[in-house]
C-alpha cells in the first residue's frame, strides 16, 4: 500500500525510517518478533544497499551479485523490508504475513522462501560463518576463472552481525580463517549496541572485539556512529579499499532507535513495541504514515531495479567478451553456476563403479573413499575438499587436490581445490554450507564421525536448506580401537539418520563406497553424510543387477534358493559378519538371506514393491547387525546385534569380540530368533488343533442331541 507525500526527494533518514516503520508494524501485527535490531541497523542498511550493494532485484540469482547475510537473523524484518523496498518479488501482503504459516516471511530468514535471502540464519554465528564460506567461494572461483582483462567473478560478501554472533565460538573459528586467507571482499558490520535478551552485555561480554579481530589479521574500522550516514559511507569505502584483508566495521548503534521509551533497552529486543509506543515512535521519527504505508517517493528512493538491471547488463557484456576469448572456460563457468553435472556424467560414473568392482580390492572404506575421489575428482572440477586437521586419516586429499593453505608466510594460491581447516569441525561445516549456497562448488569436508557432534547444528542447517554439502566421517565405530570411548561413535549414525533430508551412507566395501559417493554427488537438494571405516573390509562379489541395486539403499547381497528361513540386515563393517553367519547357518540347512543396507533413507524412498522384494513381510525371523545403538533397527527386525553403551580403550579386534560383533554371536542371534519363531508356530499349531478337536466334540454332541430330540418327537 502506498500514499502520496509532499516531500519530492526523501533524505537518508526518511529512507531508513521506512525500514523502522515496516519492522515495528510487522512485529506488532504478528504479536511476536524482534523490532530492536532492524530499527537499530536501519541506517547502516540504507547506506550499504543504496550506495554499495551490487544486486538486481529482477534476477536474485545473478552470478556476480554481492551477497548479503543477516547473521543476527532474529532481526529478519530488516532484510524483508530491504527486499520489499528495493523491488524484489516480496509484496506488502507478504510483509503483513510476517511469521504466519507458509508465508515468505518466517520469523527468521529462510533460504528458498523469499527471493534475495541468501541463507537461513537464526542460530547465531552461523550466518557470518556462511558468509566466510561465500567469500572463500568468490575468491577461489575468481582464481579459477578470471583471466587478464576479464574479471567475471568480482563481488563482495556483506554480513550484519550482533553481539550474540560475536559471543558464539563458531564465529571465531571462521573469522580466524578469513584473516588467514586474506578474504578482502568480506565486509562485516558489528551492531555494537551492548544489548542482548538478558540485558546489558557488559555483565558477560567484555572482550576487546576490535583487538581480537586485528589479531585475526582483519582490517578494523572502529568507533563508527551507526546512525551517521556520512560516517558509515566513509567506513564502507575504506573497507572496500582494503583488498588483502577482510574488514570489520564496528558500528555503535542504539537498539530500537526512535522508540522514546524502549530504545537502548532489552525490552525492545524480542517483543512488539505495543500500539502506544509505536504511535510515539512515529511521532519521534517524523513518520507521518499509517501502518504498512510507504509513500511513492520513498519507494522511488529505494528502487534498485534500474541500477540492478544496468549492473547485470554491464556484466553480461563483460561475460560475452570473456566467452569470445575463452569459450571453454565460459561454458564451464555457466555449467558450474547452474549446478549441472557434466554431460557425460552418467556414462563416466558407471565406468568408475565398474572399474572399482573389477579390482575387487578390500581396503578400509576411508581408503575406498579416496579411491573414489581419485576416480570422480577429474570429472568434477567443482569439487572443493577439506578436513578438520585429519587429512591423512580421513583420506580426503586425492591425486588432483591442490591446497590453498598459505605456507611460510606466502600468499595462498586460491586457484586450488582443497583446504585444511584446522581443528574447526563446526566452522568447516558451516563454511561448506556457505560455499554450497554461493554456487559453483560441491564442497566436501571430513573429520572423525565422533566429532560430527561439534558440527551438528551446521549439518541440520544444511538439511533444512536442502543444500549439497558432503560430510565425510571416518573411524565409524568401536573399530577405532585404542583411542577409547571419547573417540568411539555409538549414537551418531542413528541420530544422523534422524535428520530430515540428510542422506546417510555406511558402505561395506569399495564398490558400495563408490556408489555412495555417486549418490552424494547426484543429490542436489540436500546434504549427505558418508560413514567410513578405519579397518579393512572385505570385497563383496556382486552381479551387475546387485551393483545397480546398491543405489536403492538396501538390496539382497546373498540370497537363498527358496523362501528364506531368516534374513540378516547389516551395514558397513558388519556386512562381512552377516555373510559369515549366513554361510555358517547354511551348513545347518538354514536358508538365510543377507540384506546390505548402506542407506536407510534411500531404501525407504523406494516403492513398496521393491522394499517387499528385499524384506518380505512373511519372513519374520530377522536380525539386524550394526555397531551402533540399536533403537532404529527394531522397525526392521525383532532382534538387533548392536551396542547400547559406550566403548572401551583396546585394540579393535578385542572390542568387536567383547561387544558381540562376531560371526558366532550373529549365528547365535539368528538361531535364537528361528527357535522362537518355530516355538510360536508350534504354539499356534497346538491352538489350532485344540480348537479343531473342540469343534469336533461340539459337533458330535449336537448331533447326539438332535437324534434324541427326533426320537421324542
Amino acid at each position: 500500500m502506498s500514499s502520496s507525500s509532499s516531500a519530492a526527494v526523501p533524505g537518508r533518514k526518511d529512507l531508513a525510517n521506512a525500514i523502522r516503520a515496516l519492522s515495528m508494524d510487522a512485529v506488532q501485527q504478528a504479536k511476536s518478533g524482534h523490532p530492536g535490531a532492524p530499527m537499530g541497523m536501519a541506517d547502516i542498511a540504507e547506506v550499504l544497499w543504496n550506495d554499495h550493494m551490487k544486486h538486481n532485484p529482477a534476477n536474485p540469482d545473478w552470478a556476480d551479485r554481492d551477497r548479503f547475510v543477516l547473521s543476527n537473523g532474529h532481526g529478519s524484518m530488516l532484510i524483508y523490508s530491504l527486499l520489499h523496498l528495493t523491488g524484489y518479488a516480496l509484496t506488502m501482503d507478504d510483509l503483513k504475513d510476517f511469521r504466519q504459516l507458509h508465508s515468505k516471511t518466517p520469523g527468521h530468514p529462510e533460504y528458498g522462501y523469499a527471493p534475495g535471502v541468501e541463507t537461513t540464519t537464526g542460530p547465531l554465528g552461523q550466518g557470518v560463518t556462511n558468509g566466510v564460506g561465500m567469500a572463500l567461494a568468490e575468491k577461489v572461483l575468481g582464481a579459477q576463472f578470471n583471466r587478464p582483462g576479464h574479471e567475471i567473478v568480482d563481488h563482495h560478501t556483506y554480513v550484519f552481525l550482533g553481539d550474540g554472533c560475536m559471543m558464539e565460538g563458531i564465529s571465531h573459528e571462521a573469522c580466524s580463517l578469513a584473516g588467514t586467507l586474506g578474504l578482502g571482499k568480506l565486509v562485516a558490520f558489528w551492531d555494537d549496541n551492548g544489548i542482548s535478551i538478558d540485558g546489558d552485555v557488559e555483565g558477560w561480554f567484555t572482550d576487546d572485539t576490535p583487538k581480537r579481530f586485528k589479531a585475526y589479521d582483519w582490517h578494523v574500522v572502529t568507533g563508527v556512529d551507526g546512525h551517521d550516514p556520512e560516517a558509515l559511507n566513509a567506513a564502507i569505502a575504506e573497507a572496500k579499499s582494503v583488498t588483502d584483508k577482510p574488514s570489520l566495521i564496528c558500528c555503535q548503534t542504539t537498539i530500537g532507535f526512535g522508540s522514546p521509551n524502549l530504545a537502548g533497552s532489552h525490552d525492545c529486543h524480542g517483543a512488539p513495541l505495543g500500539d502506544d509506543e509505536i504511535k510515539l515512535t512515529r511521532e519521534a521519527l517524523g513518520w507521518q504514515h499509517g501502518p504498512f504505508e510507504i509513500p511513492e517517493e520513498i519507494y522511488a528512493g529505494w528502487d534498485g531495479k534500474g541500477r540492478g538491471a544496468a549492473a547485470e547488463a554491464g556484466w553480461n557484456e563483460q561475460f560475452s567478451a570473456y566467452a569470445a576469448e575463452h569459450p571453454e572456460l565460459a561454458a564451464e563457468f555457466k555449467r558450474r553456476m547452474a549446478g549441472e553435472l557434466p554431460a557425460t556424467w552418467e556414462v563416466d560414473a558407471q565406468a568408475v563403479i565398474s572399474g572399482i568392482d573389477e579390482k575387487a580390492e578390500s581396503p578400509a572404506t576411508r581408503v575406498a573413499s579416496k579411491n573414489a575421489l581419485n576416480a570422480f575428482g577429474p570429472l568434477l572440477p567443482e569439487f572443493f575438499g577439506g578436513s578438520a586437521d585429519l587429512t591423512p586419516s580421513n583420506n580426503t586429499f586425492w591425486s588432483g587436490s591442490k591446497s590453498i593453505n598459505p605456507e611460510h608466510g606466502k600468499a595462498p594460491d586460491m586457484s586450488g581445490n582443497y583446504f585444511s581447516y584446522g581443528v574447526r569441525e563446526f566452522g568447516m561445516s558451516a563454511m561448506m554450507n556457505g560455499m554450497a549456497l554461493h554456487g559453483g562448488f560441491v564442497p566436501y569436508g571430513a573429520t572423525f564421525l565422533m566429532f560430527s557432534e561439534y558440527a551438528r547444528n551446521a549439518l541440520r542447517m544444511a538439511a533444512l536448506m536442502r543444500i549439497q554439502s558432503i560430510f565425510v566421517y571416518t573411524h565409524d565405530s568401536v573399530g577405532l580401537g585404542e583411542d577409547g570411548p571419547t573417540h568411539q561413535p555409538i549414537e551418531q549414525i542413528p541420530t544422523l539418520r534422524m535428520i530430515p533430508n540428510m542422506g546417510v551412507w555406511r558402505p561395506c566395501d569399495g564398490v558400495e563406497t563408490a556408489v555412495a559417493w555417486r549418490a552424494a554427488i547426484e543429490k542436489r537438494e540436500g546434504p549427505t553424510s558418508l560413514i567410513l571405516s578405519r579397518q579393512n573390509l572385505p570385497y563383496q562379489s556382486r552381479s551387475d543387477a546387485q551393483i545397480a541395486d546398491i543405489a536403492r539403499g538396501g538390496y539382497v547381497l546373498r540370497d537363498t534358493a527358496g523362501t528364506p528361513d531368516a534374513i540378516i540386515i547389516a551395514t558397513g563393517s558388519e556386512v562381512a559378519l552377516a555373510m559369515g553367519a549366513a554361510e555358517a547357518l547354511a551348513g545347518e540347512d538354514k536358508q538365510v538371506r543377507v540384506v546390505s543396507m548402506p542407506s536407510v533413507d534411500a531404501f525407504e524412498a523406494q516403492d513398496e514393491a521393491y522394499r517387499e522384494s528385499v524384506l518380505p513381510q512373511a519372513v519374520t525371523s530377522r536380525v539386524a547387525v550394526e555397531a551402533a545403538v540399536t533403537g532404529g533397527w527394531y522397525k526392521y527386525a525383532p532382534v538387533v546385534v548392536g551396542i547400547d553403551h559406550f566403548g572401551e580403550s583396546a585394540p579393535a579386534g578385542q572390542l568387536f569380540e567383547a561387544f558381540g560383533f562376531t560371526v558366532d554371536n550373529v549365528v547365535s542371534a539368528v538361531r535364537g530368533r528361528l527357535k522362537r519363531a518355530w516355538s510360536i508356530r508350534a504354539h499356534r499349531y497346538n491352538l489350532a488343533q485344540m480348537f479343531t478337536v473342540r469343534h469336533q466334540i461340539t459337533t458330535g454332541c449336537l448331533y447326539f442331541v438332535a437324534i434324541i430330540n427326533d426320537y421324542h418327537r
Side-chain angles (χ1 to χ4, degrees), residues 83-256:
L83 295 172
H84 171 74
L85 292 167
T86 55
Y88 286 78
L90 196 69
T91 68
M92 186 64 82
D93 285 339
D94 291 324
L95 300 192
K96 292 177 180 179
D97 246 1
F98 179 56
R99 287 185 162 232
Q100 304 310 298
L101 184 65
H102 303 314
S103 75
K104 291 183 180 180
T105 52
H108 292 81
E110 301 281 350
Y111 176 71
Y113 284 60
V117 172
E118 301 281 4
T119 181
T120 298
T121 55
L124 296 177
Q126 286 202 67
V128 62
T129 307
N130 293 163
V132 174
M134 292 174 185
L136 174 60
E138 190 275 342
K139 194 162 185 174
V140 174
L141 201 68
Q144 292 180 354
F145 282 97
N146 290 344
R147 294 295 183 269
H150 299 285
E151 299 288 319
I152 64 162
V153 182
D154 184 15
H155 54 266
H156 286 79
T157 301
Y158 297 107
V159 180
F160 282 11
L161 70 158
D163 292 322
C165 290
M166 286 296 190
M167 287 182 251
E168 288 284 1
I170 186 177
S171 304
H172 302 283
E173 292 184 22
C175 290
S176 171
L177 287 176
T180 298
L181 291 169
L183 301 181
K185 291 179 183 173
L186 172 64
V187 180
F189 298 78
W190 172 31
D191 183 27
D192 182 15
N193 62 31
I195 296 293
S196 67
I197 290 176
D198 277 2
D200 295 339
V201 301
E202 62 185 11
W204 49 85
F205 180 49
T206 59
D207 302 13
D208 191 330
T209 295
K211 285 184 179 179
R212 189 172 189 176
F213 275 75
K214 287 177 182 178
Y216 294 154
D217 204 19
W218 281 54
H219 173 70
V220 181
V221 186
T222 60
V224 179
D225 183 347
H227 304 296
D228 182 346
E230 297 299 324
L232 288 164
N233 204 14
I236 297 170
E238 178 184 334
K240 290 168 69 177
S241 72
V242 178
T243 59
D244 62 341
K245 297 179 179 181
S247 291
L248 176 70
I249 301 176
C250 304
C251 303
Q252 295 173 345
T253 65
T254 300
I255 191 171

Side-chain angles (χ1 to χ4, degrees), residues 195-458:
I195 296 293
S196 67
I197 290 176
D198 277 2
D200 295 339
V201 301
E202 62 185 11
W204 49 85
F205 180 49
T206 59
D207 302 13
D208 191 330
T209 295
K211 285 184 179 179
R212 189 172 189 176
F213 275 75
K214 287 177 182 178
Y216 294 154
D217 204 19
W218 281 54
H219 173 70
V220 181
V221 186
T222 60
V224 179
D225 183 347
H227 304 296
D228 182 346
E230 297 299 324
L232 288 164
N233 204 14
I236 297 170
E238 178 184 334
K240 290 168 69 177
S241 72
V242 178
T243 59
D244 62 341
K245 297 179 179 181
S247 291
L248 176 70
I249 301 176
C250 304
C251 303
Q252 295 173 345
T253 65
T254 300
I255 191 171
F257 181 92
S259 172
N261 299 302
L262 300 178
S265 163
H266 71 279
D267 292 330
C268 67
H269 185 289
L273 300 185
D275 291 331
D276 292 341
E277 187 66 17
I278 287 176
K279 182 181 178 181
L280 293 173
T281 303
R282 278 184 155 81
E283 294 173 358
L285 294 173
W287 186 260
Q288 300 174 2
H289 316 286
F292 299 104
E293 287 186 5
I294 302 294
E296 292 297 339
E297 62 270 20
I298 296 292
Y299 275 125
W302 272 107
D303 189 6
K305 295 190 292 294
R307 296 192 303 271
E312 185 173 356
W315 183 84
N316 286 337
E317 289 182 9
Q318 294 177 354
F319 191 81
S320 295
Y322 174 79
E325 193 169 336
H326 305 284
E328 292 183 0
L329 279 174
E332 182 68 359
F333 179 82
K334 290 173 70 175
R335 179 190 71 80
R336 283 175 57 173
M337 292 306 294
E340 298 172 350
L341 289 168
T344 60
W345 169 255
E346 286 287 337
V347 173
D348 293 341
Q350 190 55 51
V352 167
I353 293 167
S354 297
I356 289 174
D357 181 60
E358 289 172 5
K359 290 181 180 179
E361 296 175 335
S362 298
T365 50
R366 62 170 176 160
V367 176
S369 173
K370 184 174 182 176
N371 294 339
L373 283 169
N374 279 324
F376 287 129
L379 309 175
L380 298 167
E382 55 263 51
F383 261 167
F384 187 92
S387 179
D389 202 50
L390 290 168
T391 294
S393 295
N394 297 148
N395 284 286
T396 41
F397 196 89
W398 57 282
S399 60
S401 293
K402 178 183 176 184
S403 177
I404 66 170
N405 292 89
E407 295 182 2
H408 309 298
K410 298 179 180 178
D413 182 355
M414 300 303 290
S415 66
N417 60 3
Y418 193 89
F419 185 49
S420 293
Y421 291 86
V423 188
R424 297 180 176 94
E425 298 88 357
F426 196 4
M428 173 185 73
S429 303
M431 285 175 63
M432 287 166 55
N433 291 346
M435 295 191 77
L437 288 161
H438 178 278
F441 294 96
V442 174
Y444 66 91
T447 184
F448 288 176
L449 176 58
M450 186 65 248
F451 305 130
S452 66
E453 293 295 327
Y454 282 124
R456 180 61 61 136
N457 200 251

Side-chain angles (χ1 to χ4, degrees), residues 621-633:
S621 294
R622 301 179 185 177
V623 174
V625 190
E626 186 174 66
V629 297
T630 60
W633 285 110

Side-chain angles (χ1 to χ4, degrees), residues 586-605:
E588 302 175 12
D589 291 328
K590 300 293 189 298
Q591 300 294 307
V592 179
R593 171 181 289 185
V594 175
V595 171
S596 178
M597 196 176 289
S599 177
V600 174
D601 59 281
F603 179 73
E604 292 182 346

